[in-house]
Amino acid sequence: MDGTDTFIDREREHRNHVAAAASGVTPPVLHLIQPGYCSVVPFIQGETMHPETIAGHPERLRLIVDAVRTYHDGALFDNEIRVFDMIRDYRGMAGEVDAPRPYQIEWMLWVGQRIEQAMQRDEPAPVACHNNLLSENFILTPEGRMWVIDWEHGGMNDPFFDLGDFCVEHPLTADEERFVLTAYCGGMDEHRYARMMLHKLVVDLWWSMWAMVQSKVSKLEFEFYRYGTDRIARFSKNAAHPDFESWLKRV
């Protein structure tokens, strides 16, 4: 492995960007610069979102959910993201590069196995997912349009992974998380709500394993280990939620 780009397929990112643009949620590709699959897109005049400019703003939450549902319904990617398989791959990579292995990792993997087994019941059909819904990947224009950018982790996946990913990356209240699910589904669905909440843990398991590998192979000046341990702490907090066992039964 040779650095961060080991995990990114730029050609696939380009194809996913084009497919997402066709659904209307991201700017079109005007030109492709080779080598490297560097996309040239129109300049977006707008405000890059941050966690604190999304949480507590129901109108922005609704715009984001509408955008997510739009590409879920309207885009089609030619690659599949199987998150639990990726987590196992990262575990293998971590051994190959002698990556740090915080003591919580084995327990987290065990919890992940329980979630994976539960989620095999009533699996929704995969849809085109972004899979990395950080606030900085949303841009709000003065006209009130919410763009979604950065498709390097895109792939066909469980739609509720995207929703869980969005929720875990933002300091939403419990009511706001229910708002997200209700806005997406058109009404409250406790069954799908449990799936979304479990995916909050899956997201942090995925990225904490990724971060441990990155801490050994990346050439970027970034504290990957600290990033990973912060996610481990959040995973532990969410796994201790009093409703966790009921989510496993309800999903």
Side-chain angles (χ1 to χ4, degrees):
M1 286 180 286
D2 184 24
T4 305
D5 276 352
T6 299
F7 299 88
I8 304 299
D9 182 332
R10 296 299 176 192
E11 181 178 1
R12 185 183 69 190
E13 176 188 10
H14 168 70
R15 294 196 304 270
N16 289 347
H17 184 146
V18 171
S23 74
V25 297
T26 200
V29 176
L30 301 179
H31 184 68
L32 185 64
I33 299 174
Q34 294 285 27
Y37 284 92
C38 182
S39 298
V40 178
V41 302
F43 179 77
I44 303 172
Q45 183 69 47
E47 177 188 358
T48 300
M49 294 289 95
H50 298 284
E52 64 275 9
T53 61
I54 290 176
H57 297 271
E59 71 288 352
R60 294 180 176 182
L61 284 175
R62 183 172 293 280
L63 285 172
I64 287 170
V65 173
D66 286 347
V68 170
R69 188 171 52 240
T70 295
Y71 67 76
H72 280 184
D73 292 344
L76 181 64
F77 297 159
D78 61 11
N79 67 297
E80 186 176 8
I81 299 293
R82 301 187 66 85
V83 179
F84 293 105
D85 288 344
M86 290 179 66
I87 290 169
R88 282 185 280 272
D89 289 344
Y90 289 166
R91 183 183 189 182
M93 292 178 189
E96 292 172 8
V97 301
D98 193 26
R101 197 174 187 86
Y103 72 91
Q104 302 99 322
I105 289 292
E106 289 303 320
W107 167 75
M108 290 172 66
L109 290 167
W110 174 75
V111 173
Q113 288 174 352
R114 295 187 68 201
I115 295 173
E116 181 181 16
Q117 184 175 18
M119 284 188 172
Q120 291 172 358
R121 302 193 303 270
D122 193 23
E123 292 183 89
V127 299
C129 285
H130 185 281
N131 299 316
N132 192 28
L133 291 175
L134 303 172
S135 56
E136 293 80 6
N137 286 331
F138 295 101
I139 299 176
L140 179 62
T141 71
E143 298 76 30
R145 182 171 188 173
M146 189 68 75
W147 292 100
V148 188
I149 63 171
D150 189 4
W151 296 90
E152 65 185 15
H153 295 289
M156 302 298 287
N157 194 5
D158 182 336
F160 297 95
F161 179 89
D162 253 2
L163 297 185
D165 179 32
F166 173 73
C167 287
V168 83
E169 299 294 358
H170 297 84
L172 305 182
T173 66
D175 285 344
E176 286 175 322
E177 290 178 334
R178 287 184 170 271
F179 176 87
V180 167
L181 191 284
T182 300
Y184 183 86
C185 292
M188 189 59 201
D189 184 330
E190 294 291 343
H191 173 51
R192 293 314 193 191
Y193 175 76
R195 196 173 195 92
M196 180 182 82
M197 297 302 285
L198 289 174
H199 270 308
K200 290 176 60 177
L201 283 86
V202 177
V203 169
D204 278 336
L205 176 56
W206 176 15
W207 289 110
S208 61
M209 294 296 295
W210 172 89
M212 294 303 134
V213 176
Q214 291 282 26
S215 71
K216 290 290 288 189
V217 305
S218 179
K219 297 179 174 65
L220 298 177
E221 292 186 7
F222 182 79
E223 294 185 6
F224 286 105
Y225 181 81
R226 174 64 181 273
Y227 175 85
T229 56
D230 285 348
R231 285 187 174 269
I232 288 170
R234 189 167 62 191
F235 179 100
S236 300
K237 178 181 178 181
N238 285 328
H241 193 285
D243 292 334
F244 174 72
E245 293 295 334
S246 68
W247 294 334
L248 287 174
K249 295 175 182 177
R250 192 184 304 155
V251 69

